[in-house]
Amino acid sequence: MSEQFNILKDFIQNWMRMSHIYQPVMLSRLLESNGRSTTEEIARAILSHDPSQVEYYQQITTGMVGRVLRKHSLVTKESRKPNWELVGVDQLSEAEVSELIKLCQDKLDNFLDARGQAIWNHRRRGRRPVSGTIRYEVLKRAKYRCELCGISAKEKALEVDHITPKSLGGDDEISNYQALCYTCNAQKLNRDDTDFRGIDEGYEYREPGCLFCEAHREREVLAENTLAYAIDDGYPVTIGHSLVIPKRHVATYFELTQAEINACNQLLNALRENKEKDDPSITGWNIGINAGEDAGQTIFHCHIHLVPRRKGDVDNPRGGVRHMIPGKGSY
């Protein structure tokens, strides 16, 4: 056996770490084509192993092209089964079939000559591939499950999707990404009747006179991203007590968009990591949100408390946030 065979065999059996099908498919394609292949050929090989793309075109077949041809009584579909049949096919001679296929090809060629690659622009416009680093972080945050239906990446391939679409002003920041399985991503626009018009402008809304709308300009900002920022709490209950605040004026946590929740979570994690690095005495955390006057909210702009805890800062920490109701912390 050759040395190169042993190198490849060792890599495939012992070193290949797979988060998807790509590596073995690419190596197989190169092996099958004398070691040389174009990027397009490798991409087509990957595509042939991707059932999600087949699912997409199954939907196109049933919901669009098949529906039109059925309307013209040219094809029929077996009820509750994926079987299609050309009406009157048994009446066609081989020569007639060949001529009809050529007419279809001519029609296709003429269309492509007239329109060219513009017919695919709706998929390409403003799109850049999501970097591997971003994709990894989004999938890790989602625990490798679809954030809509919950299916595992082991059962169905996950895609990184813009929460607010690029075409409607969404940006490429990690807080605007979510992990969706192919089916949920393909069906999202059909199932979601949210009116996104003006949503980008909505994120810019600030309430005149609101303490937290103004704090972003007037207070020292510890960290920020497109949709949220963090500051020190004005009346800290422990050293390092800070607030994470959405930039948009919104009363409670329950009115945040998913992108804003992601943005706030990103800052909470960043603050936690930085504070633990700078202050080894921190051994725990409380995260708190007051939503509504009866829950203790006094400033009606959503804000999230991040409170560092240290061993011995109270006699008995058991119960944590349960102490918000006197006597309910101990159980």
Side-chain angles (χ1 to χ4, degrees):
M1 294 183 183
S2 69
E3 180 181 357
Q4 189 59 26
F5 171 83
N6 290 328
I7 290 172
L8 287 167
K9 182 178 180 180
D10 180 56
F11 174 78
I12 294 168
Q13 290 185 327
N14 303 313
W15 298 99
M16 184 180 283
R17 298 292 180 263
M18 294 175 58
S19 62
H20 217 296
I21 64 169
Y22 306 137
Q23 293 182 61
V25 173
M26 182 171 179
L27 285 176
S28 294
R29 173 61 200 174
L30 289 167
L31 289 166
E32 291 164 357
S33 56
N34 270 341
R36 293 180 179 274
S37 193
T38 66
T39 302
E40 180 179 347
E41 289 167 343
I42 294 168
R44 288 182 182 277
I46 292 172
L47 186 63
S48 71
H49 287 78
D50 187 348
S52 69
Q53 297 302 308
V54 176
E55 289 176 18
Y56 172 78
Y57 284 107
Q58 284 176 333
Q59 293 175 2
I60 293 293
T61 299
T62 302
M64 295 175 61
V65 59
R67 185 171 58 185
V68 173
L69 295 179
R70 287 172 74 179
K71 183 178 179 180
H72 288 273
S73 301
L74 297 175
V75 301
T76 60
K77 181 179 181 295
E78 197 171 341
S79 179
R80 299 184 180 277
K81 293 185 178 179
N83 302 326
W84 294 83
E85 186 172 328
L86 183 66
V87 173
V89 66
D90 55 332
Q91 302 171 24
L92 300 174
S93 67
E94 287 188 19
E96 289 173 332
V97 169
S98 297
E99 183 175 348
L100 290 171
I101 291 174
K102 185 178 185 307
L103 288 174
C104 286
Q105 187 61 52
D106 289 344
K107 201 78 173 181
L108 181 60
D109 291 342
N110 291 336
F111 179 80
L112 292 174
D113 285 344
R115 298 281 298 277
Q117 294 301 307
I119 62 172
W120 310 113
N121 282 349
H122 67 290
R123 295 189 180 181
R124 295 189 174 117
R125 187 177 297 119
R127 296 290 180 90
R128 290 183 299 172
V130 177
S131 73
T133 301
I134 293 294
R135 176 180 170 80
Y136 172 75
E137 291 299 327
V138 173
L139 296 181
K140 183 175 73 170
R141 184 183 67 198
K143 307 300 183 187
Y144 283 84
R145 287 186 176 271
C146 173
E147 294 183 273
L148 185 57
C149 73
I151 196 168
S152 168
K154 294 179 180 178
E155 300 177 62
K156 188 175 290 188
L158 298 184
E159 299 179 347
V160 174
D161 167 69
H162 284 88
I163 298 171
T164 301
K166 290 281 288 182
S167 61
L168 297 173
D171 57 33
D172 290 319
E173 187 173 274
I174 193 170
S175 61
N176 193 43
Y177 287 121
Q178 61 186 346
L180 295 181
C181 70
Y182 175 76
T183 302
C184 286
N185 196 13
Q187 295 176 350
K188 185 180 70 169
L189 292 180
N190 293 331
R191 297 174 60 186
D192 188 351
D193 60 1
T194 302
D195 185 351
F196 286 107
R197 289 171 296 183
I199 193 168
D200 199 41
E201 291 82 358
Y203 283 127
E204 301 299 322
Y205 177 67
R206 309 290 184 264
E207 181 78 22
C210 171
L211 177 65
F212 288 154
C213 286
E214 296 173 354
H216 183 237
R217 298 188 302 271
E218 299 175 355
R219 297 271 296 276
E220 180 183 354
V221 173
L222 303 176
E224 69 175 309
N225 52 37
T226 301
L227 299 180
Y229 71 98
I231 59 174
D232 286 321
D233 188 278
Y235 303 92
V237 299
T238 68
I239 297 173
H241 178 181
S242 53
L243 301 175
V244 171
I245 305 167
K247 294 179 180 178
R248 177 172 68 99
H249 183 78
V250 56
T252 73
Y253 176 86
F254 300 107
E255 299 168 62
L256 296 178
T257 66
Q258 185 61 51
E260 287 171 318
I261 292 171
N262 291 345
C264 289
N265 285 340
Q266 180 187 357
L267 293 184
L268 287 168
N269 279 301
L271 288 172
R272 176 186 62 83
E273 291 176 5
N274 290 336
K275 288 177 183 292
E276 287 180 350
K277 187 183 301 181
D278 294 339
D279 186 349
S281 70
I282 297 173
T283 53
W285 297 90
N286 288 118
I287 301 173
I289 305 170
N290 302 324
E293 185 175 356
D294 291 334
Q297 187 174 8
T298 56
I299 300 173
F300 289 89
H301 181 135
C302 175
H303 51 288
I304 304 170
H305 295 263
L306 182 64
V307 182
R309 300 297 301 273
R310 297 165 176 86
K311 187 173 293 293
D313 58 7
V314 297
D315 290 337
N316 181 12
R318 179 181 171 87
V321 297
R322 295 171 63 91
H323 287 286
M324 70 182 75
I325 305 293
K328 296 295 184 181
S330 300
Y331 60 97

